[in-house]
Amino acid sequence: MSDQISLDALLRPDLRGASPYGAPQLDVPVRLNTNENSYPVPEDVVADITARVAAVAPELNRYPDREFTELRTELAAYLSRTGGVELEPAQLWAGNGSNEVLQHVVLAFGGPGRTALGFTPAYSMHPLISTGVGTTWVDGLRGQGTDAPFDLTVESAVEQVREHQPHVVFLCSPNNPTGTALTLDVVEAVYAAAERAVVVVDEAYAEFARPGTPSALTLLQGRPRLVVTRTMSKAFAFAGGRLGYLAADPALVDALRLVRLPYHLSAPTQAIALAALAHADQMLGTVEAIKEQRDRMVAELADLGFAPVASDANFVLFGGLVDAAATWRDLLDRGVLVRDVGIPHYLRVTAGTPAETDAFLAAAAEVATTATTTATSRATDRSSS
């Protein structure tokens, strides 16, 4: 007897018709669409990774340290050294990429009958993670009460928190896909207004922030509902290593143990992450070079007639486009893959190596005359004169 019920009918109703997360993975000369670090892992770090994995390989018949004690100790040491605040291992938690630790937070504090609030446009995984575990997602908005479309003001954020009374609040700083960072007064105000919510500050791109940009790590003391998430995928050039982490009050970290899968960090994952942290200064050695290319793109895109957004991340959102999808295709035809993030008239490009920046800017120059509203306006002015 054949099955008469389709899988779609069995799927949760709230997931029917939804699209999974994913950026195009195309074989093109210049890939600048996923905010990866374009620089390869240094050879001596590769050697250390290989040695550490070899050391744990004979014991892969045993489960790994489920508390990943050594890794949490080294993560706490790294953040204490670079984040402007002293942290203890009990305040650290890690997972297979920052998405997993974000999911742990929503599993523990969200769920059916509860609400998560984020201020969009922001990281598209925040709503996917929330709805994936049955949490109602609310699209808060940026640019309310301001001429800057991607700003989030204290007044707007607090008003939206009070309106929706969420159980989890997502703040993103620097924000993906806009590259804009938050001031700490926004975080403080949201935390105070969201009296019954866990407030998550996603700092995946924090290492790329411009001088003087503060980290929410400095606000953790005395705020037991505050969470700051980080990743090794970006600045550490370790996207394939899949290691994300968070810092929070020890009691909140302890709550995450209730929802994590058993032994969720494998022994090889812990080993390679420890190797990267042991070489942290070297792994972060490309950050300044990437920031230089980012700032170069902001300046030169503006000269070409585009409207780039000043960025604290390793990417640039640029607008002024007549048709973002058409420009995306025109750049791809020239061997350059950028990201269409779904914001009308905008695209996002990752800051890579100088050679990649050269290729992108050359392609952008070729399409600028037809791609930008500035060029179109100039052409209209000429035709009517």
Side-chain angles (χ1 to χ4, degrees), residues 39-54 232 235-238 241 268 271-286:
Y39 293 89
V41 178
E43 289 186 7
D44 56 335
V45 183
V46 172
D48 192 9
I49 290 172
T50 303
R52 290 179 186 244
V53 172
M232 295 180 74
F236 268 86
F238 218 56
I272 64 174
L274 285 166
L277 287 166
H279 298 269
D281 290 342
Q282 186 177 4
M283 294 292 282
L284 296 171
T286 60

Side-chain angles (χ1 to χ4, degrees), residues 39 100 227 246 300:
Y39 293 89
E100 185 175 43
V227 176
L246 62 76
E300 295 193 26

Side-chain angles (χ1 to χ4, degrees), residues 45 54 66 82 88 124 136 151 154 164 199 227 273 322 326 334 336 359 371:
V45 183
R66 70 168 176 263
T82 62
E88 299 296 328
S124 60
T136 299
D151 279 358
V154 167
H164 298 292
V199 177
V227 176
V322 177
R334 289 162 174 80
V336 179

